[in-house]
Amino acid sequence: MLPRCKVSDNTLVVGVDTGGTFTDFVFVHEDGLKIHKEPSTPENPAKAVLTGLQHLLGAREADIVHGSTVATNAILERKGVRTILITTAGFEDVLEIGRQIRPAIYDLNVQKQPPLIPEADRLGAIERVGPQGDVVRPLDNKSVDRILDSIVESDAEAVAICLLHSYANPEHERHIAAALRERFAGFISTSHEVLPEFREYERCTTTVVNAYVGPIMHRYLSQLSEDLGGAKLRIMQSNGGVLSASAASAFAVQTVLSGPAGGAVGGHEIGRLAGFDNVITFDMGGTSTDVCLCPGEIGRTVESSIGDTPIRVPVIDIHTVGAGGGSIAHRDPGGSLRVGPRSAGAQPGPICYDRGGTAPTVTDANLFLGRLSPDHFLGGQLALVTEPVIAAIETLSKELRLNTVETAQGILRVANATMERAIRVISLERGHDPRDFTLVCFGGAGGMHAADLARSLNIPRVLVPKGAGTLSALGMLLADFVRDYSKTLLASTASLEETALLNAFAELEERARVEYEDEGLTEENVTLERSCDMRYIGQGFELAVPFGESLQEDFHEAHERRYGYADKTRATEIVNIRVRTVGKTPRPTLEERPSGSSDSSAAVVRQTKMTFDGVEHEAAIYDHDLLRPGNTLNGPALVVEYSTTTVVPPDFWCRVDELDNLLLEPMP
């Protein structure tokens, strides 16, 4: 069970997070919260969703908030629909040319992935709009007719329209889209609706991604909505908010990081409720690990990518690495131990799941070292097998010329090193000291590694929420309705008239007002937040600054925080303006329990053996459901619950707070 909670207006609602190994459910009902984990079904994600809902709800109906990986997987696996790109004649190869960026600058054998749309499906319309929105060359209707003829004759399911400088004047895009709708029944994605901003390459790739996965997302959500009957279905966005299923179908690119976004929202909120404003969220699942820096607020960015494809939409600033409980350990050609990024996934899963897995994984190594109880996994519903794990690690240890304990410990150390680098990227490399943060750990595997990472990075404490294995699904229930709107101005701050700036904001806010009213929200429970993307004239990139009377001073301060200097004599410009709509949605309210005795002996279920640094220790196994606020315990220990296991190493101690969270700190 999760912490007790109050539920507003007795609404029944379920948060659903589809992961690589398990699909997680958090059910809010009249008696509080209930959690459930269902093995994911990658071939048809809806199957696991419907099975889990049937298990939880029976004949009852509930509203659903869903974090989906459908769009993400379609991009990563290159399994989107055939899409045709219509662009300005002469610019058909923008997707091919891309940016002059080399992620592996010294790699002489880089294999660049082909663009999502091949050359034959990139078609040019004769037209030209200038950067100020002036029509340099009128749209040639004959060229448009030829393009439409070829589209109708093809088997394409989607069309992306991205014309040069359409962010400044979308007239030509609108004309082509209107003509296309008369003859084409497929999915249409236009750049002035998806991303009305400058930077031609990113605008094009974002529009293409939206078209490439749009029909797939539409089919998935339409079928899921039909199977759910009258239930209200909302989808988690990459920006940390929710939106209706119909809006998610039209703007599928907004959902590519929806699952990890739910975890960041949940981790930040639980950390705040526990009294920690500065947190690093650490979500370790079966396939990957997602980390996010939250220095008082959730970090966000408009620059992200899926695979090799950049997308420029507001997203929670999450860094992902291929290290999870299902990451497979192997010997590389040079004789070194490698862990991941290949994963055992949901099928067959780790060897200990006894579903046909043969390659040792991080989860198997944890079991081998006693950091996972075979009798308490998923609340005892899935008994883990040990003999095949021992045999597999023995085989790998012979290949590595190590003993079995060294091999198992090596698997964990390699995985930890990958995750440690991810946390360094979002903290130290951005000027933040990990010693100022609390590590909020969740996901099915996070609790087994969090203390080791905190020790390596000098993070003072670890917070493991109750029900940590399903926190991403809970985060979806804590998310508000959020939509982001933007427009490129590219104007000098000094010369831009205030009236023109306010009118530009008003235009975006009117669009926002129409859409949040369509979602059933009223003006009373909606907040509109204004911001500007600014830079010094001549710079190539910009910083987001909240809009206010001291806009330029705020920009100088933001620039100094990010880069260590500010030049107040230098002219600035406003590149983009943004409006963020935040509408409050009903959410569960977690209730605290008063602290009591520090004695935790009543929660001990049995003794076990755990290995740390090659030394075997006697350790107690505690049932998290039997622990009470105020209880303390010393490591080494295991704390087990339905959705996760928490390892307390010998040099750590643990206490239970008023929300039933576990707080792990190094022993003094």
Side-chain angles (χ1 to χ4, degrees):
M1 291 293 292
L2 290 174
R4 295 181 302 172
C5 72
K6 295 178 181 177
V7 186
S8 62
D9 64 23
N10 292 323
T11 302
L12 302 184
V13 61
V14 182
V16 183
D17 175 37
T18 299
T21 305
F22 287 98
T23 297
D24 300 332
F25 302 80
V26 173
F27 178 29
V28 181
H29 54 100
E30 57 276 1
D31 296 324
L33 300 178
K34 184 178 180 181
I35 64 176
H36 177 65
K37 295 178 81 73
E38 190 75 29
S40 293
T41 49
E43 71 287 351
N44 180 11
K47 182 178 178 182
V49 173
L50 295 171
T51 301
L53 291 174
Q54 176 63 34
H55 173 85
L56 282 173
L57 300 175
R60 291 181 292 183
E61 287 188 353
D63 294 345
I64 312 298
V65 184
H66 182 22
S68 169
T69 57
V70 169
T72 312
N73 293 339
I75 299 168
L76 293 175
E77 298 172 10
R78 299 265 169 156
K79 292 183 178 179
V81 302
R82 182 184 175 187
T83 303
I84 289 178
L85 170 64
I86 302 175
T87 188
T88 302
F91 291 83
E92 295 90 343
D93 293 329
V94 165
L95 288 181
E96 198 88 46
I97 297 169
R99 290 278 183 201
Q100 217 173 12
I101 296 174
R102 295 176 62 187
I105 193 168
Y106 298 111
D107 188 348
L108 301 179
N109 299 301
V110 171
Q111 297 295 316
K112 186 179 178 181
Q113 278 195 312
L116 295 176
I117 301 179
E119 182 180 3
D121 288 339
R122 304 195 296 261
L123 310 177
I126 298 174
E127 64 86 42
R128 178 65 68 91
V129 171
Q132 303 304 318
D134 51 310
V135 177
V136 177
R137 184 172 186 177
L139 182 63
D140 185 328
N141 288 320
K142 290 184 178 179
S143 70
V144 174
D145 290 339
R146 287 194 297 269
I147 290 171
L148 299 189
D149 288 341
S150 63
I151 292 174
V152 172
E153 293 170 1
S154 73
D155 61 352
E157 294 185 54
V159 175
I161 305 174
C162 184
L163 304 181
L164 199 64
H165 302 306
S166 62
Y167 59 87
N169 181 355
E171 176 187 346
H172 291 175
E173 279 196 1
R174 287 175 178 154
H175 180 88
I176 294 174
L180 184 59
R181 289 189 179 98
E182 293 180 359
R183 304 178 57 185
F184 178 70
F187 189 92
I188 300 173
S189 175
T190 59
S191 72
H192 73 272
E193 293 178 306
V194 174
L195 184 64
E197 298 179 20
F198 92 126
R199 288 201 173 94
E200 175 189 357
Y201 174 58
E202 287 78 6
R203 182 163 53 91
C204 189
T205 57
T206 304
T207 306
V208 165
V209 165
N210 194 60
Y212 186 72
V213 300
I216 295 173
M217 195 69 174
H218 176 73
R219 285 194 289 268
Y220 172 72
L221 294 179
S222 296
Q223 184 61 53
L224 186 58
S225 297
E226 183 180 330
D227 292 336
L228 292 174
K232 181 179 179 181
L233 176 63
R234 290 175 291 166
I235 305 301
M236 189 74 187
Q237 297 179 87
S238 307
N239 64 6
V242 296
L243 77 170
S244 65
S246 59
S249 296
F251 296 99
V253 69
Q254 302 280 1
T255 69
V256 293
L257 293 174
S258 68
V265 170
H268 173 260
E269 180 67 10
I270 293 294
R272 185 188 66 81
L273 293 174
F276 305 110
D277 292 328
N278 293 343
V279 303
I280 297 172
T281 66
F282 167 62
D283 179 5
M284 184 179 179
T287 305
S288 61
T289 292
D290 305 305
V291 294
C292 177
L293 187 84
C294 303
E297 61 182 4
I298 299 175
R300 291 182 171 87
T301 182
V302 294
E303 298 176 9
S304 60
S305 62
I306 299 297
D308 292 339
T309 305
I311 56 172
R312 191 173 172 83
V313 293
V315 299
I316 290 181
D317 193 2
I318 295 170
H319 185 62
T320 302
V321 291
S327 295
I328 292 174
H330 62 282
R331 177 185 180 274
D332 71 9
S336 298
L337 174 63
R338 299 286 182 182
V339 179
R342 192 163 58 94
S343 172
Q347 293 293 339
I351 297 172
C352 59
Y353 289 5
D354 199 22
R355 295 175 180 161
T358 57
T361 65
V362 173
T363 296
D364 295 316
N366 275 309
L367 179 66
F368 183 88
L369 295 171
R371 299 183 179 205
L372 191 61
S373 172
D375 301 324
H376 296 90
F377 194 77
L378 288 182
Q381 295 179 18
L382 176 61
L384 303 180
V385 298
T386 57
E387 291 80 3
V389 172
I390 296 171
I393 290 182
E394 285 178 346
T395 300
L396 181 60
S397 67
K398 291 176 183 177
E399 296 177 7
L400 297 170
R401 298 181 181 178
L402 300 171
N403 64 45
T404 53
V405 172
E406 291 171 335
T407 299
Q409 289 183 157
I411 292 172
L412 300 189
R413 286 172 180 161
V414 172
N416 286 344
T418 300
M419 295 182 287
E420 181 183 333
R421 284 195 298 272
I423 295 175
R424 288 181 181 275
V425 166
I426 64 166
S427 58
L428 289 166
E429 292 185 13
R430 299 181 186 178
H432 294 276
D433 190 338
R435 291 175 295 185
D436 298 331
F437 289 80
T438 296
L439 188 65
V440 179
C441 132
F442 49 98
M448 291 180 281
H449 297 260
D452 290 337
L453 293 174
R455 183 193 304 111
S456 299
L457 292 162
N458 292 317
I459 298 174
R461 72 189 63 81
V462 173
L463 187 154
V464 185
K466 188 72 179 289
T470 58
L471 188 72
S472 290
L474 177 61
M476 293 168 192
L477 301 181
L478 299 174
D480 294 317
F481 167 85
V482 178
R483 289 298 300 272
D484 291 284
Y485 308 86
S486 62
K487 181 179 181 179
T488 290
L489 290 186
L490 275 177
S492 165
T493 310
S495 63
L496 182 62
E497 294 184 2
E498 183 179 2
T499 302
L501 183 57
L502 294 177
N503 287 341
F505 275 120
E507 181 184 329
L508 293 182
E509 289 169 356
E510 180 56 33
R511 179 181 168 192
R513 188 170 293 107
V514 171
E515 295 193 8
Y516 72 64
E517 287 177 353
D518 289 344
E519 294 279 352
L521 297 170
T522 61
E523 192 169 347
E524 289 72 26
N525 61 358
V526 171
T527 302
L528 298 178
E529 303 170 359
R530 296 174 172 180
S531 64
C532 298
D533 292 350
M534 297 181 63
R535 65 187 182 187
Y536 292 118
I537 292 178
Q539 283 186 315
F541 296 92
E542 53 276 353
L543 294 173
V545 181
F547 177 70
E549 294 181 359
S550 57
L551 188 60
Q552 293 210 58
E553 285 299 317
D554 292 342
F555 167 73
H556 293 310
E557 292 178 8
H559 197 278
E560 187 162 14
R561 282 196 305 271
R562 175 65 65 88
Y563 300 112
Y565 78 97
D567 186 353
K568 296 185 179 182
T569 64
R570 191 171 171 184
T572 63
E573 65 180 345
I574 297 176
V575 179
N576 304 306
I577 61 168
R578 300 184 184 277
V579 170
R580 182 178 179 84
T581 304
V582 180
K584 296 299 180 182
T585 56
R587 60 171 65 186
T589 303
L590 303 182
E591 290 186 322
E592 295 185 352
R593 296 195 294 167
S595 290
S597 168
S598 62
D599 183 12
S600 59
S601 59
V604 176
V605 292
R606 68 177 178 84
Q607 299 293 313
T608 190
K609 295 183 183 297
M610 302 173 68
T611 301
F612 296 89
D613 297 323
V615 178
E616 189 174 80
H617 298 259
E618 288 287 337
I621 298 179
Y622 294 82
D623 185 340
H624 198 163
D625 288 337
L626 300 178
L627 288 170
R628 297 292 178 263
N631 286 175
T632 63
L633 57 100
N634 293 329
L638 280 184
V639 182
V640 298
E641 57 181 295
Y642 171 78
S643 66
T644 193
T645 297
T646 301
V647 171
V648 185
D651 56 336
F652 275 72
W653 70 289
C654 172
R655 65 182 174 89
V656 184
D657 74 2
E658 289 78 6
L659 286 170
D660 287 316
N661 302 314
L662 303 178
L663 286 168
L664 282 65
E665 298 179 4
M667 287 185 179

